[in-house]
Amino acid sequence: MSFHRFGSWLLKESGKKFMYGVAAATSVTIGCLHIVPNTFLLDKYKDVVHLYKNGFTVPVPRPLLERFNKAIDLLEIKEQDRKQFKPFMVFGFDIFSAGTFFSHYGVIIGLPDNFTYIDSDYIDKTKIQLLESSIPWESDEGILLLKSLAMSDIGQIYAIAREVHMRQSPKYFIDFLSSVSLFILAYGAGTHCNARYNLYAKPRFVRIVLYGMLGLFAYLNYIFVKDASQLYYERKTDEYLINKSPVFKEGGKEFYENILNRNRALRTLMGKLGEHNYSPMGNENYFIRQRHLPLVQRKAFFEDVHTSQDLM
């Protein structure tokens, strides 16, 4: 009964004003979900993903810091802009980044612990577990995984440069603007349809269906814009880096080869979960969406450049 009265109140002028306020608050909230973690709470975000040892954050080792600075040097970033990029040790075996170059809060670049591995023979295998279980390092997949964790300097330099350059792109603003504008568009379309076709006089179910369709339309368009812009800027980043320095050309090829080998090993070692996450070739599996360029395609891009140069 109370729900029925609330629904009837929403059809009144005061209820419509209330929903307008809710829509405005929702649009602000959506915007904040993009802005806050990458600006005001960037340091808190870093604390969550930081690598810890015995309760303390692990500092970036000097050799790894030198490789980070080498990547910045090769990108020819201006001296006054270098302070925008702050390296730290991140949990896990994937490089990480957050923030935007266009904010005074800057960008954080998370460097995985395996970037400190000199050679696969020097890796402390007892500290590495998979799904809280030990890894059969003597198996073919275990050997492949161990080999993939150790990466040369140029592979690491490419990975760092890739994250730095991506954070210099307008991708952050595209995600922010598309999410807010599509929500506002969906709300405006719903309000227009209600007024034009007098849907307030129709059963509540009609409006619920309309709102659901508009919401689904806005969400699908948002993920399309988000994924399409991600693929575009990943492609542009590789094109930029491959023409910027021979180090990036060699490093990109090695980096993706290591990641593909790691994923192929994990596909077997993780069982059903591995088959769900990775393809037999080592690509990341996605359901419907394509969040990133296929790793095989990115590796082939660097190999094709090498082949073209050899033929010349």
Side-chain angles (χ1 to χ4, degrees):
M1 187 67 179
S2 59
F3 177 77
H4 178 73
R5 287 199 300 268
F6 179 71
S8 300
W9 175 73
L10 290 178
L11 298 178
K12 298 179 180 179
E13 193 62 31
S14 58
K16 294 176 183 178
K17 291 181 179 179
F18 170 76
M19 289 308 299
Y20 177 80
V22 170
T26 302
S27 64
V28 171
T29 301
I30 291 173
C32 287
L33 290 175
H34 287 280
I35 295 174
V36 172
N38 290 287
T39 53
F40 307 111
L41 296 182
L42 188 61
D43 286 339
K44 298 296 182 182
Y45 193 1
K46 183 174 72 173
D47 290 341
V48 173
V49 297
H50 212 300
L51 178 64
Y52 291 85
K53 184 176 181 180
N54 299 324
F56 297 95
T57 57
V58 176
V60 180
R62 181 178 295 276
L64 185 50
L65 187 59
E66 290 174 354
R67 291 193 284 275
F68 180 87
N69 290 329
K70 177 66 174 178
I72 298 294
D73 290 338
L74 291 173
L75 288 171
E76 297 181 317
I77 294 177
K78 297 178 181 178
E79 189 65 32
Q80 63 269 26
D81 295 331
R82 294 173 68 99
K83 64 180 183 300
Q84 287 286 85
F85 302 98
K86 308 158 191 173
F88 72 102
M89 298 302 294
V90 71
F91 177 79
F93 293 115
D94 288 307
I95 194 166
F96 169 88
S97 66
T100 173
F101 172 74
F102 303 99
S103 164
H104 76 271
Y105 292 95
V107 175
I108 54 174
I109 306 292
L111 309 175
D113 191 45
N114 64 299
F115 276 18
T116 64
Y117 298 167
I118 300 174
D119 186 85
S120 58
D121 294 334
Y122 293 90
I123 298 176
D124 186 355
K125 298 186 285 290
T126 61
K127 295 183 179 180
I128 303 175
Q129 290 188 327
L130 186 63
L131 301 177
E132 299 183 355
S133 301
S134 59
I135 299 173
W137 296 109
E138 68 283 354
S139 66
D140 291 341
E141 291 77 18
I143 294 172
L144 183 63
L145 176 62
L146 189 65
K147 183 179 178 181
S148 70
L149 293 178
M151 190 179 301
S152 73
D153 292 2
I154 60 172
Q156 297 177 26
I157 289 172
Y158 162 79
I160 294 168
R162 186 191 70 172
E163 296 302 312
V164 169
H165 191 68
M166 278 292 291
R167 290 293 163 177
Q168 290 178 297
S169 76
K171 178 72 171 65
Y172 165 81
F173 298 101
I174 292 174
D175 291 347
F176 164 69
L177 292 174
S178 62
S179 62
V180 175
S181 59
L182 284 168
F183 172 79
I184 294 174
L185 179 64
Y187 176 79
T191 302
H192 174 75
C193 290
N194 284 332
R196 176 160 185 165
Y197 302 106
N198 194 25
L199 297 184
Y200 294 118
K202 299 290 197 303
R204 185 178 297 114
F205 175 75
V206 175
R207 296 191 299 277
I208 292 175
V209 171
L210 173 66
Y211 300 152
M213 292 177 61
L214 289 172
L216 180 62
F217 174 79
Y219 176 72
L220 291 177
N221 275 275
Y222 166 68
I223 62 174
F224 171 77
V225 172
K226 180 179 176 65
D227 292 351
S229 60
Q230 181 71 28
L231 300 182
Y232 173 79
Y233 284 111
E234 285 182 347
R235 188 178 299 109
K236 295 296 287 185
T237 293
D238 281 347
E239 291 174 355
Y240 174 82
L241 294 178
I242 210 167
N243 292 310
K244 190 68 175 177
S245 170
V247 174
F248 297 144
K249 294 178 186 179
E250 296 292 336
K253 179 182 176 182
E254 181 192 339
F255 176 78
Y256 290 116
E257 184 175 1
N258 278 37
I259 298 300
L260 287 167
N261 285 337
R262 184 195 69 179
N263 292 350
R264 282 194 286 265
L266 291 177
R267 174 181 167 83
T268 301
L269 294 171
M270 295 174 67
K272 291 293 184 182
L273 183 59
E275 294 177 3
H276 177 268
N277 290 338
Y278 308 109
S279 73
M281 298 182 67
N283 279 323
E284 297 170 327
N285 290 330
Y286 300 111
F287 178 70
I288 300 178
R289 297 177 60 181
Q290 185 64 48
R291 298 173 184 266
H292 298 281
L293 284 175
L295 296 171
V296 170
Q297 179 180 328
R298 301 189 80 167
K299 176 174 177 282
F301 176 69
F302 287 91
E303 289 177 331
D304 290 343
V305 171
H306 281 271
T307 303
S308 299
Q309 291 176 341
D310 291 340
L311 292 175
M312 294 173 63

